[in-house]
Amino acid sequence: MMHESDSVRALPIITFDDDELLTAASASAAASADAGVAVDPATGAEIGRFPNQSIADLEAAIDTAEAVQPEWAALDDRVRRAYLHRAADAIEASSEALARLLSREQGKPLNGPNARFEVGACAVWTRSAADTELPVEVLIDDGENHAELHYRPIGVVGAISPWNWPMMISIWQIAPSLRMGNTVVIKPAETTALSVRALVAVMNQVLPAGVLNVVTGPGRTVGAALTRSPKVGKIMFTGSTPVGQQIIEASAANVTRLTLELGGNDAGIVLPDVDPAAIAQDLFWGAFINTGQTCAALKRLYVHDDVYDRVVEELAAVASSVPMGVGLDEGNLLGPVQNRNQFDVVDRLVESAKASGARVVLGGDPDYDAPGNFYPTTLVADIDPHNDLVLEEQFGPVLPIIRYTDLDEAVRLANELDYALGSSVWSADRDAALAVAARLRAGTTWINSHGGLHPAVPFGGAKKSGYGREFGVEGLKAVSEPHVING
């Protein structure tokens, strides 16, 4: 039964402890003949199990979402907003247990811009989706003609979330979709399935039954079936460009609406007027937030020859001072690479740089026999701009630093790749930075920072980094069907 907004605010909320949350996230895994195993990437220890569901399970979830969607859409917008605020309350009530499970399964430490930060962002983005206004637009009203633009729900939204920010990016998909009257079926990445199942369990305390559904299973079967379903009107996906291309093909027959946030290999350009010591901290965290496992992280840094050596020196000083280790240790700020496949990608690219004669300033020497997927914080200097480490997205704790003397050449190198999610310009002169920013091809360009996001500011990529925008008004429009009424 759907409730009025006052009743929604009074819905009871359980505060989960660690064991209760793990039990909720693992629900029905025991009944699964082929349960998935969640492993701590810092230690290799088993955390828990989750159901490996079938295509039949997925279809049942889609049918449920489809059945309840008309009633959810028929609610007054104020009531759906109230549900989202109550869901944010529920996230906050169990925030510590959510953060601890996220830290164990994803690997990110509790402190810094990591697990507690991510769970807090889930509540912030949920409230922002609830509070963003999307009024009816009067397009023309001249006495003879009157036309209005309304935004209607699409229906069932299929959400496919990644392993790097599994809770936060899931919320980016869930919250605006629910706000606009859609229902959701979410398929999380297999290596962070428990985190997303836990988040959904917490939110579903207060959401009406069937509005938000989670299905866990292999991407090649369950995920692929979600993208092909004729009952799904919109797919939201964050992940690699090759998988995004597969989704485009799979969804074509149904003309399914798509929002795709795909791979990034973000460039930063440092101009010669900077104070290296003043920008080193922000450069470091722009590159190494979440141990470098962020789509819009700084992944290749072009530094003018006049300040190159000092920038490298200051970056190395910061990098060597940031502790890396098991996420539940309160003192750590960097964690392991989330899975061994990605660890191997990072290792291959660093070895390619070493073989080319590039200078490893820091790191680059993992202990392959140690438990967990720890790759040391690594800076690589004096590297050819067309080395594999520069051209491919490393998605790990490594930053190549390229020396340049000609700004036009640096801009050309920054723009030459197929990826264009984000970029940044670093300068003491804002006008000079803005002039360079205007020449860069990217969904977002930051000035004297990199990767910061705001729930009111649209975010998305250019070129093969995807299409569609999330957050704010544009994010609500992306999960809606525009409807013009004339007369």
Side-chain angles (χ1 to χ4, degrees):
M1 177 180 178
M2 304 297 183
H3 300 267
E4 296 303 319
S5 56
D6 289 344
S7 300
V8 172
R9 295 187 186 96
L11 288 171
I13 289 173
I14 297 170
T15 299
F16 289 90
D17 64 22
D18 290 4
D19 291 339
E20 291 167 338
L21 189 66
L22 184 58
T23 298
S26 304
S28 74
S32 174
D34 182 29
V37 178
V39 175
D40 186 334
T43 65
E46 179 178 325
I47 301 167
R49 301 197 170 205
F50 57 88
N52 259 331
Q53 293 171 280
S54 66
I55 293 177
D57 294 322
L58 171 70
E59 290 173 346
I62 294 172
D63 288 344
T64 296
E66 183 183 44
V68 304
Q69 191 273 328
E71 188 180 0
W72 175 248
L75 287 175
D76 188 282
D77 184 49
R78 290 171 296 181
V79 177
R80 289 197 301 273
R81 289 182 178 202
Y83 272 115
L84 286 178
H85 274 284
R86 200 58 177 151
D89 293 342
I91 292 168
E92 289 172 338
S94 294
S95 61
E96 185 62 13
L98 285 167
R100 290 177 66 83
L101 177 57
L102 175 63
S103 179
R104 293 176 66 197
E105 186 178 43
Q106 200 282 334
K108 63 185 63 183
L110 289 170
N111 288 326
N114 291 300
R116 289 181 178 129
F117 167 86
E118 179 169 349
V119 174
C122 289
V124 168
W125 254 265
T126 299
R127 296 191 193 284
S128 177
D131 293 338
T132 299
E133 300 290 342
L134 185 56
V136 173
E137 299 176 36
V138 177
L139 303 175
I140 186 170
D141 187 13
D142 60 6
E144 297 182 8
N145 303 284
H146 185 88
E148 296 177 348
L149 179 58
H150 298 249
Y151 289 92
R152 313 295 193 195
I154 295 171
V156 177
V157 172
I160 303 174
S161 62
W163 51 256
N164 59 331
W165 295 90
M167 291 186 183
M168 184 174 71
I169 292 178
S170 292
I171 286 294
W172 294 352
Q173 300 167 335
I174 292 167
S177 298
L178 294 182
R179 160 66 195 287
M180 296 309 296
N182 306 288
T183 52
V184 176
V185 177
I186 187 162
K187 209 298 279 186
E190 293 165 75
T191 58
T192 49
L194 283 179
S195 294
V196 177
R197 289 179 64 86
L199 177 67
V200 170
V202 167
M203 297 178 71
N204 273 343
Q205 294 180 79
V206 297
L207 293 174
V211 167
L212 174 58
N213 309 270
V214 59
V215 179
T216 46
R220 64 185 179 276
T221 55
V222 174
L226 179 62
T227 65
R228 292 194 304 267
S229 174
K231 296 181 179 181
V232 174
K234 170 87 182 188
I235 292 289
M236 303 185 76
F237 171 74
T238 296
S240 72
T241 295
V243 175
Q245 291 168 324
Q246 293 171 18
I247 289 172
I248 294 169
E249 294 176 2
S251 64
N254 300 315
V255 197
T256 308
R257 277 69 177 142
L258 300 175
T259 294
L260 303 175
E261 197 263 90
L262 306 179
N265 194 351
D266 288 12
I269 297 179
V270 178
L271 302 187
D273 62 1
V274 300
D275 176 353
I279 66 171
Q281 282 278 352
D282 289 334
L283 278 174
F284 176 82
W285 286 113
F288 290 93
I289 185 172
N290 197 29
T291 315
Q293 300 165 109
T294 299
C295 295
L298 175 58
K299 298 193 176 79
R300 47 196 175 109
L301 183 63
Y302 301 87
V303 181
H304 192 275
D305 182 65
D306 287 356
V307 290
Y308 184 89
D309 291 334
R310 290 172 55 218
V311 167
V312 171
E313 179 183 346
E314 295 291 346
L315 263 175
V318 173
S320 62
S321 71
V322 178
M324 175 184 285
V326 175
L328 293 182
D329 182 335
E330 297 273 358
N332 291 322
L333 295 176
L334 297 174
V337 177
Q338 201 280 324
N339 56 82
R340 201 66 183 187
N341 286 341
Q342 192 59 40
F343 177 99
D344 291 342
V345 169
V346 173
D347 189 49
R348 171 179 61 81
L349 292 174
V350 173
E351 290 305 310
S352 169
K354 287 181 181 178
S356 74
R359 176 166 57 100
V360 177
V361 178
L362 185 74
D365 55 347
D367 183 349
Y368 298 102
D369 297 323
N373 302 326
F374 288 100
Y375 198 95
T377 307
T378 300
L379 299 175
V380 180
D382 299 326
I383 186 170
D384 186 282
H386 293 107
N387 183 267
D388 288 346
L389 178 57
V390 179
L391 298 182
E392 297 184 36
E393 184 182 22
Q394 67 274 38
F395 216 71
V398 179
L399 179 65
I401 310 169
I402 303 100
R403 188 190 302 264
Y404 78 88
T405 55
D406 179 60
L407 179 59
D408 290 340
E409 176 68 3
V411 170
R412 187 189 68 77
L413 290 170
N415 285 335
E416 72 176 353
L417 301 187
D418 288 335
Y419 298 101
L421 186 57
S423 62
S424 58
V425 184
W426 303 75
S427 174
D429 183 339
R430 186 171 184 272
D431 290 337
L434 290 171
V436 176
R439 300 170 62 188
L440 295 175
R441 183 84 182 274
T444 301
T445 298
W446 291 273
I447 305 298
N448 292 327
S449 67
H450 196 111
L453 301 176
H454 189 285
V457 178
F459 175 69
K463 296 197 279 188
K464 288 187 178 179
S465 288
Y467 49 73
R469 291 295 182 268
E470 298 174 273
F471 312 162
V473 172
E474 295 304 313
L476 296 184
K477 290 180 179 180
V479 291
S480 309
E481 199 76 81
H483 182 195
V484 174
I485 296 180
N486 275 293

